Amino acid sequence: MTIFRDAVTQGSLAAAARNHGLSSEMASRHLRALEKRLGVRLLNRSTRKLSLIAAGDAYLGRCTAILDEIASTEAMAATLQASPTGLLRVAAPLAFANASLGPAFDAYLKEYPGVSLALDLTERVADIVGEGYDVALRLGALPDSAMTARKLAEFPLVLVAAPGYLAGAPDIVSPEELECHEVLIYTQTARPNRITLKDVAGQKVSVALTGRVSASDIGILLELARRGLGPVFAPLFLVEHDLREGRLQQIMMNWTARSLPLHAVLPNRFLTPSAARSFIEFMADWFRG
């Protein structure tokens, strides 16, 4: 089952064989034996390409879930025997890490003194498998993937602006009134120039966003918002201090935008390291708190 899953996710039997220290011929024998026992062909394969057939597609989903459960059970047993140790490579969004993760990392390292963290903080989407990460923290909707993900938290997106800007600008009470303002636009989304808002009755309105400034970094947009250049949609965790200190004000509070989910994403490994498991469990507890 593992050879079959890895051959599909990595694109070749040779890659699956290398993963497990086998020859390509031995990996092929494993796959033939599996198909013989099931009495059904799972893959069409040539010298260059593998492709799932219908039975293989259905079987892949079930066997992946089974293998993940086996890995989880074995990792839990290993965790019970010894405290996590070793180097844990973690990728996380830069702005989110700067705003929210420092205290969490500090508390985790104190609870697990045998673990060291190597942090790659960037706004790009890291290649977890290719770059050798143990865990990636990702904000926003996840694309379809063979990797394992666990939802840790969800953060609302809020509309904020500086008091000075609001004092000299038209009121923003309804979504349509946004079209009269130069919004600071964050470009790292699927539709940067449009947002859908929902009121307390569940009514949805989609509005276009226009403005003179757009950027791929939310940090610079927040700095411009503090200076009174316009309103901006931002995750609540990034603006909580500004709201408390009065540098920014939340506006149009009767309407809500989408929320940003936070996931911990793992490479599709047969056995998850105990340090990675401890990190994910700790983060889940941290954000529940």
Side-chain angles (χ1 to χ4, degrees):
M1 290 171 71
T2 307
I3 291 294
F4 166 67
R5 180 199 64 187
D6 289 358
V8 174
T9 57
Q10 297 181 33
S12 74
L13 268 172
R18 285 194 299 272
N19 258 11
H20 299 281
L22 302 175
S23 67
S24 295
E25 176 58 29
M26 182 57 72
S28 183
R29 287 181 190 174
H30 279 304
L31 185 55
R32 288 197 300 269
L34 177 63
E35 291 177 325
K36 182 178 179 180
R37 186 163 62 84
L38 295 174
V40 65
R41 191 171 181 81
L42 301 173
L43 292 169
N44 287 324
R45 46 197 183 274
S46 66
T47 54
R48 293 189 176 183
K49 187 176 180 183
L50 293 177
S51 60
L52 278 171
I53 61 175
D57 191 36
Y59 185 71
L60 176 64
R62 292 293 299 136
C63 80
T64 297
I66 291 166
L67 291 171
D68 285 345
E69 185 61 28
I70 292 170
S72 176
T73 303
E74 292 189 349
M76 181 181 66
T79 302
L80 291 174
Q81 291 178 4
S83 296
T85 59
L87 178 66
L88 187 65
R89 297 196 65 206
V90 178
L94 176 62
F96 176 59
N98 285 335
S100 300
L101 291 181
F105 290 154
D106 175 46
Y108 173 78
L109 290 168
K110 286 175 178 173
E111 184 161 336
Y112 296 98
V115 179
S116 301
L117 292 181
L119 305 174
D120 185 353
L121 307 179
T122 176
E123 296 304 330
R124 69 180 178 84
V125 178
D127 178 359
I128 301 175
V129 175
E131 297 177 55
Y133 295 106
D134 299 296
V135 184
L137 300 179
R138 287 185 174 167
L139 278 169
L142 294 177
D144 290 338
S145 170
M147 288 180 286
T148 302
R150 176 171 175 181
K151 188 175 179 180
L152 302 178
E154 197 157 328
F155 303 102
L157 205 61
V158 296
L159 181 63
V160 296
Y165 174 84
L166 295 172
D171 290 341
I172 310 176
V173 178
S174 67
E176 293 81 4
E177 289 168 338
L178 268 176
E179 297 178 357
C180 301
H181 294 259
E182 290 192 350
V183 180
L184 300 166
I185 297 171
Y186 180 57
T187 59
Q188 297 295 94
T189 65
R191 302 176 73 195
N193 297 100
R194 182 162 291 275
I195 195 160
T196 299
L197 300 165
K198 182 171 67 174
D199 67 8
V200 291
Q203 175 189 0
K204 291 184 178 180
V205 176
S206 177
V207 293
L209 303 179
T210 58
R212 294 168 60 200
V213 179
S214 61
S216 60
D217 176 51
I218 190 66
I220 189 62
L221 295 179
L222 286 172
E223 177 60 25
L224 295 176
R226 295 181 194 108
R227 292 173 177 271
L229 266 72
V232 63
F233 283 95
L236 182 59
F237 66 80
L238 281 179
V239 296
E240 285 177 316
H241 291 298
D242 288 304
L243 294 174
R244 280 197 294 268
E245 298 294 327
R247 291 184 292 271
L248 295 172
Q249 293 180 12
Q250 187 175 347
I251 48 181
M252 216 165 63
M253 296 176 67
N254 291 330
W255 292 82
T256 57
R258 67 185 185 277
S259 292
L260 292 178
L262 172 68
H263 289 90
V265 181
L266 290 160
N268 197 355
R269 293 175 178 164
F270 186 67
L271 182 63
T272 301
S274 62
R277 286 181 55 79
S278 71
F279 180 80
I280 293 170
E281 291 298 332
F282 184 91
M283 288 295 162
D285 289 341
W286 179 271
F287 285 110
R288 274 198 298 271

